[in-house]
């Protein structure tokens, strides 16, 4: 096991007293952004956001029921956070067994995109609100990690070996969530295994060179099943796509048409 250092996420449950919480939230209710309040107070955005729904400290020992392994299995409470996290998990995540029935979810996030690391930690925290979220620094990336007995319930795609070496199919309840929140799912997949790049060229217009830019989105994943989940969801929201072979392997999905890139810009945007 790697050395695990707790991050600001511990503050969600324990570090701050009620007075500090109320003062910080007061700044947010005055219309300040979570970013600016976070900068001023040193309190993480994840903590501020969680206090907006629950200001009292969580008792870490309190069992939060699992929506899947109870008498009547249902869906996670916050389906938008789940749809986004499902995209991240299918892109760059894994669920591994630790011991005594406990698993850990690990999502690998590049250091280049600190905003995405925060979003990932927030989504995990919302899906399992009573479990601590850890960030483990590695070379060039952070692993955002959380322990729970219920990750296999929430991500039944969990299994041995690499995802592209086994079949990946959504369960009906997961597909319903993706159908209800397609953009969150697409955003999660792009944030893990995708990117937005800008190609450009110059053309002479009236004797003057003019620069033209061609933004496009790429999604790259070795799993045929995961690429199909991505493109099926693109179809549902009306985004045109093509498959680009790298060598002989059709691992890349490209979105290049102007209207489709505009849709992606509205709902996904560049990484940050
Ligand atoms: Zn469960």
């Amino acid at each position: 096991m790697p050395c695990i250092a707790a991050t600001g996420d511990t503050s969600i449950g324990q570090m701050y007293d009620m007075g500090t919480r109320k003062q910080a939230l007061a700044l947010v209710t005055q219309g300040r952004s979570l970013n600016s309040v976070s900068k001023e107070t040193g309190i993480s955005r994840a903590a501020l956001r969680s206090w907006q729904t629950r200001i009292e400290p969580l008792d870490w020992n309190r069992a939060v029921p699992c929506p899947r392994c109870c008498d009547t299995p249902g869906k996670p409470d916050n389906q938008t956070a789940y749809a986004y996290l499902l995209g991240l998990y299918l892109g760059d995540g894994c669920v591994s067994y630790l011991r005594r029935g406990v698993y850990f979810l690990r999502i690998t996030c590049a250091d280049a995109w600190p905003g995405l690391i925060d979003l990932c930690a927030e989504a995990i925290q919302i899906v399992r609100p009573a479990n601590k979220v850890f960030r483990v620094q590695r070379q060039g990336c952070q692993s955002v990690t959380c322990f729970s007995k219920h990750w296999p319930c929430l991500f039944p795609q969990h299994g041995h070996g690499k995802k592209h070496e086994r079949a990946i199919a959504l369960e009906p309840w997961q597909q319903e969530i993706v159908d209800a929140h397609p953009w969150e799912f697409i955003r999660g997949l792009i944030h893990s295994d995708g990117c937005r790049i800008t190609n450009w060229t110059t053309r002479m217009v009236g004797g003057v060179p003019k620069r033209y830019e061609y933004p496009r989105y790429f999604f790259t994943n070795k799993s045929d099943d995961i690429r199909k989940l991505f493109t099926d969801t693109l179809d549902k929201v009306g985004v045109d796509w093509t498959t680009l072979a790298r060598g002989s392997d059709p691992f890349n999905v490209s979105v290049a048409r102007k209207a489709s890139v505009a849709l992606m810009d509205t709902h996904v945007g560049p990484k940050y």
Side-chain angles (χ1 to χ4, degrees):
M1 278 298 297
C3 163
I4 290 177
T7 68
D9 297 286
T10 52
S11 62
I12 290 170
Q14 291 167 343
M15 265 172 58
Y16 298 102
D17 61 32
M18 193 56 88
T20 308
R21 288 160 190 255
K22 284 185 175 162
Q23 275 175 11
L25 270 195
L27 295 175
V28 177
T29 39
Q30 283 164 20
R32 298 263 306 271
S33 71
L34 291 183
N35 265 341
S36 84
V37 175
S38 173
K39 262 189 194 150
E40 182 180 321
T41 60
I43 299 167
S44 75
R45 281 187 353 152
L48 292 167
R49 187 170 293 210
S50 77
W51 297 347
Q52 288 178 303
T53 44
R54 178 198 168 93
I55 195 167
E56 297 84 12
L58 280 171
D59 173 2
W60 292 112
N61 297 319
R62 182 174 64 93
V64 170
C66 168
R68 295 303 306 159
C69 62
C70 50
D71 290 342
T72 317
K75 297 186 182 112
D77 285 344
N78 190 318
Q79 294 182 25
T80 54
Y82 178 81
Y84 177 66
L85 189 56
L86 178 61
L88 292 180
Y89 164 71
L90 291 178
D92 270 337
C94 67
V95 169
S96 308
Y97 185 66
L98 183 62
R99 59 176 176 267
R100 291 187 203 152
V102 175
Y103 293 77
F104 61 95
L105 169 70
R106 186 172 63 212
I107 311 273
T108 306
C109 303
D111 281 342
W113 317 114
L116 300 196
I117 298 174
D118 286 343
L119 281 182
C120 169
E122 282 174 26
I124 295 175
Q125 194 68 80
I126 291 168
V127 171
R128 292 305 297 159
N131 297 74
K132 289 186 192 180
V133 180
F134 300 93
R135 301 183 191 199
V136 184
Q137 185 64 50
R138 295 163 190 275
Q139 190 158 15
C141 65
Q142 283 190 30
S143 291
V144 186
T145 302
C146 179
F147 299 91
S148 169
K149 293 182 174 178
H150 300 289
W151 290 125
C153 314
L154 293 162
F155 297 118
Q157 289 71 28
H158 159 66
H160 290 293
K162 297 182 173 165
K163 290 197 203 89
H164 66 271
E165 291 166 352
R166 53 191 158 92
I168 300 287
L170 297 186
E171 291 201 352
W173 64 272
Q174 291 179 300
Q175 188 63 58
E176 284 170 27
I177 292 176
V178 168
D179 289 345
H181 306 280
W183 282 112
E184 278 72 16
F185 182 62
I186 291 169
R187 198 181 306 128
L189 286 167
I190 290 287
H191 282 178
S192 54
D193 273 348
C195 61
R196 180 189 190 277
I197 61 158
T198 305
N199 292 340
W200 61 274
T201 184
T202 52
R203 272 195 220 141
M204 299 303 278
V205 178
V208 181
K210 192 173 174 195
R211 181 181 165 117
Y212 287 90
E213 295 194 336
Y214 302 96
R216 60 162 54 172
Y217 285 80
F218 277 112
F219 176 74
T220 305
N221 193 293
K222 281 188 177 179
S223 162
D224 295 345
D225 292 341
I226 292 173
R227 284 199 314 280
K228 179 141 187 356
L229 288 171
F230 178 64
T231 53
D232 283 353
T233 314
L234 290 182
D235 287 341
K236 282 178 191 153
V237 295
V239 168
D240 291 328
W241 54 272
T242 51
T243 294
L244 295 183
R246 176 196 282 169
S248 57
D249 299 320
F251 292 160
N252 294 298
V253 177
S254 161
V255 173
R257 282 210 179 153
K258 206 169 178 183
S260 294
V261 170
L263 261 181
M264 295 287 279
D265 280 346
T266 301
H267 295 280
V268 179
K271 295 185 178 190
Y272 61 99

